[in-house]
Amino acid sequence: MRSVGESVPRLDGTAKVCGRARYVDDYRVGDTLQAGVLRGTVANGLVKSIDTSRARACPGVEAVVTYADVPGHPFPTAGHPVHSDPALRDVADRRILTRRVRYWGDEIAAVVAVDELTAARALSLIEVEYEEYEPLLSVAAALAPGAREIHAGTGNIVGADGYDLGDLERAFGSADHVFTGEFQTPAAAHCALENHSALAYIDGDGRIVVVTSTQIPHLCRQLVGQALGIPWGRIRIIKPYVGGGFGGKQDVVVEPLAAFLTTVVNGRPVRVRLSREETFTGSRVRHAITFRLRTGVKKDGTIVAREMTALSNNGAYASHGHAVAANCGEKFRHLYRQEAIRFQATTVYTNLPAAGAMRGYGIPQVTFALESHLDDIAVALGLDPVAFRLQNLHGDGWVDPVSGHSAAVNGLPACLARGRELIRWEEKRADWRGQTGSVRRGLGVACCTYTAGIYPYGLETAAARIVLNQDGSVQLQTGAAEIGQGADTVLAQMTAETIGIPVDQVHVVSRQDTDVTPFDCGAYASRQTYVSGTAVRRAAAQIRTLVLARAAALTGRPASSLDVADGRVISVESGAQVLTLRDAAFDSYYNEATAAPVTAEVSSNVQSAALAYGCTFAAVEVDLSLGRVTVLEIYNVHDAGRIINPALAAGQVHGGVSMGLGYALYEELLFDPETGRPLNNNLLDYKLMTTMDTPEIGASFVETFERAGPFGNKALGEPPVFPVAPAIRNAIRDATGVRLGELPMNPRRLVAEFQAAGLIPERGQGICTI
């Protein structure tokens, strides 16, 4: 029975729909105490004094702690494996609580009480006096001469790097045209349905147990150990069902505080749960980045030289640090050819909430800049934007000269052909040419690429454990965190396909527990079907080999003459059943002479990262006077190698496109320009799309076969987001002729652009009043 390539229903679907799935807040351990966090009310300053006496005296309060009570050493918060080179490790610039306030909402004290209401009341009784400094909210302000250092000794620079490949000035000198462009992307919020939450307690053996909504259970243990300054083996992390992460739970946000607070109250269980308002600024945000591009092109449209600089606003703490901006430079190389290319990036501390991992890790930002810029070039040269891209794409077999990433199979030309056909590109371009009036229509296209995993810049290990049960079914356990993306289902399909059993005979242990779960780096970088899937396939292959050896011993036939199909051991020659898998399994447990239960545990160290590709085609209608954009059609087409589960793959595309549309048209975190206070840190004022705002989304796939993938598969989890915003932007330009360089493209921004372009009158002009 075939499993891979089939739309197997989600294994966790029924539990979630019926309310049986247990999330962190469903866990109860004894008489759980509630914690609340006191957050700073200045963006840049120092706590001069703090008086907690009234809070401590509040009935129901069990403990009050401040920055003076927590461990004194700094720690990193980003969920990356520890690098063997100390210089390449994540920046350790955080403490559990801080006296030095670096953004509005920084954590300076915490209360543990019998319930949330009591904790909130006690927090309101804490009196704080600040020494306030000028908020440095922009990259320019943070880098200005004489600017106060947010972290001592850094010059407010988190990191900087770049590369030069080829003779750039010679290449630019050979160009017939040189184009420049500047693009800005905003800070945005993850808005996962489940807020950050952790429950910590000390077990009977004196170990700290943390039940948490995390994407990185094993790395979370490492980071909590560093934060508390205790051996990692004294910490146990349990990850139950997770209500969405999108990268926001690839940092330790609440876990170190929860772990510390349980030690303060003698091991009693303590829950730290962020409110919705706190998640907007107290967790992580998407990096706001400014890009400047310069591109040299021949008359016939051949690109000969490319240059990009990026300035990334990292906020108050490093989190993932310069890695996000550096990743922009990595993907800047991966789509198009040229004779020479240069990239320079700088990541800067400011007094805004810390930016970290968010779906795409910098690639939504750089894709918006690059694909918008290329469209401007195509229009200026009078070239078809699709043809211009096809002319300059890397071909099959291209190998990146820096990372070694391979484009063994590049399905992007086929993706562009598919998308052009779906949206009827030529027909609509002809029909919509030369529009006038206040409502106009336009077409846009944008491309993207991504790698599965972070090799060679970081470790890519995973492990899988499979146990053959007495009835012939198997138990699958991995460290690959299911966070809503369907990893459990896909890995079960891989297991079933390899062994030769139906998917319903694969029982996945969805809860990760660092005491019993094999090591895996976690859910990030679109890595799990590629990296974790490699371990699963190898473990499943071992199970199959052991089953056939047992069957050979039972039947007296050579193992090479046997196979497993649909839960049966069959003859390779005739296809006839020799015995059931249950027979072999039962014998492995209970044969008095040869009993040896069949198990396999495999660790894999994946040292490759194949390139996946995709594109978006969009048709929009623009109401100039209202600055309103209506998406008429949108198609997301991907080369993700072999598609393991078509229904789940389409779901990833639908979710990614929806997130991309929000990024393009609505979402932007706003802060008071004088104080740094957040202005829209709630789901009323932060304009998140709903189903009512979402158009029909077309998902399509061009299947290729990636030899390095366990089943020919490549990345898909993050790429659907990337090309959406530039495709919408390019469609707006096609409709109006206006070059847009900043997200989101909301009515306020569009009306101002249309007025500047003379498409609609300035306010008060041409308006009849009575």
Side-chain angles (χ1 to χ4, degrees):
M1 179 181 292
R2 184 168 173 247
S3 299
V4 168
E6 298 298 316
S7 292
V8 173
R10 287 187 63 124
L11 300 186
D12 56 351
T14 301
K16 289 179 175 178
V17 170
C18 296
R20 294 199 296 267
R22 293 184 69 202
Y23 297 84
V24 172
D25 289 349
D26 296 315
Y27 278 68
R28 297 288 183 270
V29 181
D31 190 13
T32 300
L33 300 171
Q34 303 293 328
V37 178
L38 183 69
R39 299 182 178 275
T41 56
V42 300
N44 194 9
L46 186 73
V47 176
K48 292 176 64 177
S49 65
I50 183 167
D51 185 350
T52 61
S53 58
R54 294 172 63 205
R56 295 177 189 277
C58 187
V61 169
E62 298 293 326
V64 179
V65 296
T66 73
Y67 54 82
D69 304 306
V70 299
H73 52 271
F75 61 93
T77 64
H80 290 142
V82 176
H83 203 286
S84 57
D85 182 351
L88 296 178
R89 293 174 186 171
D90 292 309
V91 178
D93 62 359
R94 196 90 185 212
R95 292 182 63 205
I96 295 174
L97 298 170
T98 183
R99 183 185 182 196
R100 176 66 168 90
V101 179
R102 296 180 171 91
Y103 73 99
W104 189 294
D106 214 346
E107 297 115 328
I108 59 177
V111 167
V112 181
V114 294
D115 54 42
E116 288 180 312
L117 185 61
T118 302
R121 184 182 301 117
L123 289 174
S124 70
L125 298 175
I126 299 176
E127 298 175 6
V128 183
E129 183 183 0
Y130 299 98
E131 179 179 314
E132 193 169 354
Y133 312 136
E134 178 188 358
L136 306 174
L137 306 180
S138 67
V139 167
L143 296 181
R148 183 183 294 273
E149 287 190 318
I150 297 170
H151 292 272
T154 64
N156 291 334
I157 293 178
V158 181
D161 75 340
Y163 56 79
D164 273 279
L165 300 174
D167 188 334
L168 193 72
E169 295 314 314
R170 187 198 63 78
F172 269 114
S174 71
D176 296 310
H177 305 279
V178 175
F179 297 90
T180 61
E182 182 170 320
F183 301 90
Q184 297 180 50
T185 62
H190 300 78
C191 295
L193 188 62
E194 178 195 29
N195 293 342
H196 292 259
S197 184
L199 170 68
Y201 59 93
I202 296 179
D203 66 13
D205 297 324
R207 299 169 69 228
I208 298 173
V209 181
V210 183
V211 184
T212 177
S213 179
T214 180
Q215 298 175 217
I216 49 164
H218 282 278
L219 303 184
C220 182
R221 178 172 71 167
Q222 157 203 321
L223 293 168
V224 171
Q226 289 179 259
L228 270 62
I230 62 176
W232 302 353
R234 287 183 53 198
I235 299 161
R236 177 184 178 190
I237 302 294
I238 297 173
K239 179 214 73 81
Y241 281 90
V242 172
F246 309 116
K249 294 172 183 173
Q250 199 197 332
D251 271 59
V252 295
V253 173
V254 292
E255 295 88 351
L257 178 60
F260 171 71
L261 290 177
T262 190
T263 67
V264 173
V265 293
N266 299 313
R268 295 176 64 186
V270 177
R271 190 183 305 279
V272 177
R273 175 173 50 203
L274 299 191
S275 68
R276 176 59 67 184
E277 290 76 12
E278 286 177 305
T279 63
F280 277 91
T281 53
S283 57
R284 300 292 178 266
V285 303
R286 193 186 287 285
H287 290 74
I289 306 180
T290 298
F291 298 93
R292 294 183 179 89
L293 293 96
R294 185 167 65 117
T295 302
V297 187
K298 293 285 193 181
K299 290 177 182 177
D300 65 355
T302 301
I303 297 173
V304 293
R306 295 197 293 144
E307 182 178 24
M308 175 186 282
T309 61
L311 288 172
S312 179
N313 189 328
N314 207 78
Y317 293 95
S319 180
H320 288 248
H322 187 61
V324 172
N327 200 35
C328 293
E330 175 84 1
K331 303 309 181 285
F332 181 50
R333 297 192 304 269
H334 284 175
L335 276 175
Y336 303 107
R337 299 187 305 271
Q338 65 284 306
E339 295 176 10
I341 185 171
R342 173 184 293 161
F343 176 80
Q344 293 293 324
T346 304
T347 301
V348 180
Y349 284 118
T350 65
N351 294 124
L352 290 175
M358 186 170 176
R359 193 176 189 174
Y361 213 74
I363 310 312
Q365 297 96 307
V366 74
T367 302
F368 172 71
L370 172 59
E371 291 296 300
S372 298
H373 179 59
L374 286 182
D375 228 64
D376 291 344
I377 295 172
V379 171
L381 295 177
L383 301 174
D384 180 282
V386 176
F388 176 56
R389 287 169 169 82
L390 286 168
Q391 178 182 348
N392 289 287
L393 289 176
H394 289 301
D396 290 347
W398 177 77
V399 177
D400 182 79
V402 178
S403 66
H405 291 150
S406 169
V409 183
N410 184 343
L412 188 50
C415 291
L416 286 166
R418 176 79 57 81
R420 183 164 54 187
E421 177 185 351
L422 287 169
I423 209 163
R424 305 190 311 279
W425 179 260
E426 284 80 8
E427 176 187 334
K428 285 188 172 70
R429 278 173 65 83
D431 289 346
W432 295 349
R433 188 173 292 119
Q435 297 173 83
T436 59
S438 63
V439 178
R440 304 180 190 180
R441 292 184 171 187
L443 288 175
V445 62
C447 299
C448 71
T449 183
Y450 202 59
T451 53
I454 61 174
Y455 179 83
Y457 303 107
L459 185 70
E460 279 299 359
T461 59
R465 180 185 300 127
I466 301 177
V467 176
L468 181 67
N469 297 323
Q470 292 95 325
D471 63 355
S473 66
V474 300
Q475 213 80 19
L476 170 64
Q477 193 171 36
T478 75
E482 169 66 70
I483 61 170
Q485 80 281 41
D488 284 355
T489 304
V490 168
L491 296 178
Q493 288 179 257
M494 291 180 169
T495 301
E497 180 89 2
T498 304
I499 296 175
I501 59 177
V503 176
D504 63 9
Q505 293 299 296
V506 181
H507 306 296
V508 179
V509 181
S510 186
R511 190 181 83 162
Q512 273 73 46
D513 181 335
T514 55
D515 268 16
V516 296
T517 302
F519 181 86
D520 191 290
C521 295
Y524 58 82
S526 299
R527 64 185 292 278
Q528 286 178 290
T529 56
Y530 189 84
V531 176
S532 304
T534 298
V536 167
R537 184 170 191 178
R538 288 176 54 199
Q542 287 189 14
I543 293 291
R544 183 179 175 280
T545 298
L546 292 169
V547 164
L548 291 178
R550 173 69 55 172
L554 283 171
T555 62
R557 303 184 182 211
S560 60
S561 71
L562 302 175
D563 198 2
V564 182
D566 198 20
R568 301 173 301 129
V569 179
I570 63 173
S571 165
V572 171
E573 182 178 353
S574 67
Q577 176 176 312
V578 175
L579 74 164
T580 67
L581 192 59
R582 184 185 186 282
D583 294 333
F586 193 86
D587 186 74
S588 74
Y589 275 91
Y590 301 116
N591 186 306
E592 294 183 2
T594 64
V598 175
T599 65
E601 183 164 344
V602 168
S603 293
S604 63
N605 184 345
V606 174
Q607 297 184 2
S608 65
L611 291 170
Y613 298 93
C615 62
T616 294
F617 283 79
V620 305
E621 184 175 85
V622 184
D623 187 320
L624 299 175
S625 60
L626 297 178
R628 182 172 63 193
V629 177
T630 301
V631 179
L632 304 174
E633 294 179 75
I634 189 163
Y635 298 97
N636 215 243
V637 189
H638 289 273
D639 162 24
R642 188 180 181 193
I643 300 301
I644 307 297
N645 186 312
L648 289 184
Q652 288 282 31
V653 170
H654 281 253
V657 171
S658 180
M659 183 173 278
L661 286 169
Y663 190 52
L665 298 173
Y666 306 106
E667 296 183 48
E668 178 182 23
L669 280 167
L670 300 173
F671 302 90
D672 185 299
E674 301 297 325
T675 66
R677 181 175 63 85
L679 299 176
N680 63 337
N681 56 328
N682 58 76
L683 289 179
L684 174 64
D685 297 315
Y686 185 84
K687 300 305 178 185
L688 193 68
M689 285 180 59
T690 70
T691 55
M692 300 295 289
D693 306 305
T694 307
E696 278 296 316
I697 296 170
S700 186
F701 302 97
V702 171
E703 289 203 58
T704 60
F705 190 87
E706 172 53 56
R707 293 188 301 273
F711 282 89
N713 52 290
K714 299 191 281 191
L716 181 63
E718 292 164 278
V721 179
F722 307 161
V724 175
I728 298 295
R729 180 267 186 193
N730 294 339
I732 295 171
R733 170 171 182 149
D734 186 51
T736 67
V738 175
R739 295 170 55 178
L740 302 168
E742 188 172 0
L743 294 178
M745 297 171 290
N746 55 26
R748 173 180 58 83
R749 188 161 283 132
L750 289 180
V751 166
E753 293 281 358
F754 296 156
Q755 287 174 339
L759 295 177
I760 57 176
E762 297 283 346
R763 181 175 296 177
Q765 296 179 1
I767 300 175
C768 179
T769 59
I770 299 176

